[in-house]
Amino acid sequence: MTSGSSAPAPSVRRPVLVGAVGKVAEAATLALLATVVPRVLGPAEYGRFSVALTVVTLGSLAMTLGGSTTLSRFVPAASPADRAALAVALTLRLARNRAALFAAPVLAGAALAVLVPAVFPPLVVVCVLVALGLNVAVTLVLQADLGLGRAAGWCLRYPVQNAVLVLVVLVLHDDLGLAGAALAILASAVAGAAVAVAASGPLRAGAGRRVPLPDGALRFGLLQAAGGAATQFVHRGGVLAVVLLTGSAVQTGFAALPIGIALAATYAVAQLFTVALPALTARADGEPALRRLAGILLAPVALGAVGAALVVDAVVPVVFGEAYAAAAATFVPAIAMVVLAPVNALLVQASALRMRPDAVLYAGLAGAAAFVAACLALVPGAGAAGATTAALVGTAVTALVSLLLLPRAVGARLALGTAAAVAAVLVLG
């Protein structure tokens, strides 16, 4: 698991602390994105803005998933002299593989802009595609930086991007409408690129050096990416499901709001596990450390979720405006989904430590299948509430299948505590 060095096992405290600070900063910007922007745009315009943002976010995640886990698993295990070169080599291989994937949305966007420009304005399509490409490049660079044990750029990226996104969309929306929102998404991607450039210094030391890729690294990355893509489909597909199955911009906005907030909380938890993996790769007690971290996080997450479920009906119209009062019911399944975040994050990292990327893939596919079935059954009649319920179903199935494939990764107390908290949210909400 290690490079054979006799150095003491690295501590996970520093990367977890950096991750926590980054997520606090990100939470501040997400609060503006989740409250001020919906209030200013209104449900219909916010729904259209959310679709464009979802395409960029889901597309960039789908094309870079598995990279952070792969680099964090294999780079720290190499000799210190080879780590930068290995990070660069793995990143270039990942970039080459993703280039073919990027061609698909480019061709689809070009066709839509030419064939139905009234629905897909060319300026909006260009902004979305350029933003997608920049976000993919930014993620690849910062994944490599994280593999070197440097978490600051990884954790700073989204607070910066969110702040720029909120500022520019508020400045441009009144005059430019959807085009202004698309330009804001592009400006956010440019800001992320600036963060990546600033963080890429240590990687340049490895440029030009040839090192062999570790055995199994490419297969590991491929399976992690495929499983991660399935999970992202469950997390973010609800907004697109509402568009396709209801055609309602208002219901799309109602779905985008709780899903966006729930995912912000989910990824805040997941990031603490992600930034800890490079250190845990070099430790013999990696899985016990993951269980301790999950147990520490579950208590505040569960208490916060139960409290949110109790007050959601009163809080939603006050925070987001009366136009969103009817969306309160859509929040409860999304809140319950957050409770599953510590266990799901633990299982992803445990699969990496055990070199079992197939577990991530199979669990993700099972969750995606459950999500699709729930969407088809619920969204046509229940709209946004059906979409958030489907996301919860898919996330829960992912966790259950992972528990079966990775025995003893999660202790009984942690599993039962998570299930009890989810049930409490659904009953009280």
Side-chain angles (χ1 to χ4, degrees):
M1 183 179 296
T2 69
S3 60
S5 171
S6 59
S11 171
V12 300
R13 291 181 182 178
R14 185 175 185 278
V16 168
L17 178 60
V18 172
V21 171
K23 279 303 176 182
V24 169
E26 185 176 348
T29 59
L30 282 172
L32 297 175
L33 184 60
T35 57
V36 176
V37 173
R39 180 183 285 270
V40 171
L41 270 59
E45 279 298 311
Y46 181 67
R48 286 186 278 270
F49 164 75
S50 297
V51 170
L53 185 60
T54 297
V55 169
V56 172
T57 304
L58 183 57
S60 61
L61 285 170
M63 284 188 275
T64 56
L65 284 167
S68 62
T69 305
T70 302
L71 285 149
S72 295
R73 181 64 181 84
F74 287 95
V75 171
S79 66
D82 291 338
R83 287 174 187 166
L86 178 58
V88 171
L90 284 169
T91 298
L92 290 176
R93 180 61 66 91
L94 291 172
R96 187 176 70 185
N97 293 342
R98 271 54 176 180
L101 296 177
F102 184 61
V106 169
L107 293 175
L112 291 172
V114 171
L115 296 175
V116 280
V119 180
F120 299 95
L123 175 60
V124 173
V125 171
V126 169
C127 288
V128 168
L129 290 176
V130 174
L132 174 58
L134 282 174
N135 272 290
V136 170
V138 168
T139 303
L140 288 171
V141 171
L142 293 179
Q143 285 174 346
D145 193 47
L146 180 63
L148 295 176
R150 292 162 43 86
W154 180 264
C155 298
L156 180 65
R157 176 251 187 107
Y158 286 115
V160 171
Q161 287 196 242
N162 290 339
V164 171
L165 177 62
V166 171
L167 176 63
V168 178
V169 76
L170 293 180
V171 170
L172 297 182
H173 174 262
D174 285 344
D175 294 329
L176 299 178
L178 182 60
L183 287 169
I185 293 172
L186 176 57
S188 171
V190 172
V195 174
V197 170
S200 63
L203 291 172
R204 296 174 197 141
R209 286 191 57 211
R210 286 184 172 272
V211 294
L213 298 182
D215 292 339
L218 295 181
R219 177 182 180 275
F220 181 97
L222 179 62
L223 295 183
Q224 283 281 347
T231 299
Q232 285 298 320
F233 173 68
V234 171
H235 285 173
R236 299 186 182 271
V239 174
L240 298 179
V242 174
V243 173
L244 295 174
L245 296 175
T246 72
S248 169
V250 172
Q251 285 295 316
T252 302
F254 284 176
L257 187 57
I259 288 174
I261 294 173
L263 292 185
T266 295
Y267 298 151
V269 173
Q271 177 161 287
L272 301 181
F273 288 83
T274 299
V275 299
L277 183 58
L280 294 177
T281 295
R283 292 175 54 151
D285 65 338
E287 286 196 27
L290 287 173
R291 285 192 288 272
R292 287 193 295 271
L293 180 58
I296 291 170
L297 292 173
L298 178 61
V301 168
L303 289 174
V306 170
L310 290 172
V311 301
V312 65
D313 288 338
V315 168
V316 167
V318 173
V319 174
F320 305 108
E322 287 296 330
Y324 289 90
T330 68
F331 276 77
V332 175
I335 293 169
M337 188 169 69
V338 176
V339 177
L340 295 168
V343 163
N344 270 325
L346 183 163
L347 289 164
V348 169
Q349 305 307 332
S351 73
L353 293 177
R354 295 186 185 188
M355 296 295 289
R356 288 286 313 278
D358 56 301
V360 174
L361 174 60
Y362 297 145
L365 291 176
F371 169 75
V372 170
C375 279
L376 293 175
L378 300 175
V379 172
T388 55
T389 302
L392 172 61
V393 170
T395 303
V397 169
T398 299
L400 287 172
V401 174
S402 295
L403 286 170
L404 293 174
L405 294 175
L406 299 168
R408 298 180 301 281
V410 177
R413 182 182 302 177
L414 182 60
L416 292 174
T418 299
V422 169
V425 169
L426 295 177
V427 170
L428 297 174

